[in-house]
Amino acid sequence: MQDALCESLYMNRDEIDPALSFNEMGLDSIGAVELVRAVNKEFGLDIDSVAVYDHPTLPRLVGHVGQVVARDLNSWRPRRPRRRNLRPRPRPRPPAPASLPGPAD
């Protein structure tokens, strides 16, 4: 996530101050959209760019993303296999024997 922030702000990792808000570091609304798009792509999420304003520092956004990922993992359940019809299938009836010719009348 820090790498995505660095790309949005055109900064190096050592220039990122986790105590500063994204706004204080110079992240504008377009940068917020880019950051959230990168986070969503990286983690397979669908969070809104408003999350950057609701969680305005890197540690708070990381915490939020962690909660979303944990929630998604906890709500994920493997698919159950489809139940098969456990009733036995009726066996086909054997064909009726052909009538045999009887004595000529």
Side-chain angles (χ1 to χ4, degrees):
M1 193 173 314
Q2 190 171 5
D3 290 338
L5 180 60
C6 289
E7 283 184 35
S8 295
L9 294 173
Y10 302 101
M11 298 174 99
N12 295 321
R13 288 180 130 233
D14 59 342
E15 296 175 293
I16 300 293
D17 184 349
L20 294 178
S21 72
F22 296 122
N23 189 35
E24 291 170 323
M25 286 190 271
L27 190 71
D28 61 8
S29 59
I30 294 171
V33 169
E34 291 172 353
L35 176 61
V36 170
R37 186 178 297 146
V39 169
N40 285 338
K41 183 177 179 182
E42 180 70 26
F43 296 100
L45 301 175
D46 188 26
I47 60 173
D48 193 271
S49 60
V50 175
V52 171
Y53 302 104
D54 293 339
H55 312 279
T57 64
L58 188 59
R60 287 181 60 186
L61 185 60
V62 167
H64 173 67
V65 169
Q67 289 174 345
V68 171
V69 168
R71 182 194 66 210
D72 288 355
L73 287 174
N74 287 333
S75 67
W76 181 83
R77 291 192 175 105
R79 290 185 182 182
R80 289 184 178 179
R82 288 184 8 186
R83 290 187 68 189
R84 292 187 200 178
N85 187 354
L86 300 178
R87 294 184 206 156
R89 292 184 181 177
R91 293 186 178 175
R93 294 184 181 186
S99 55
L100 298 173
D105 291 285

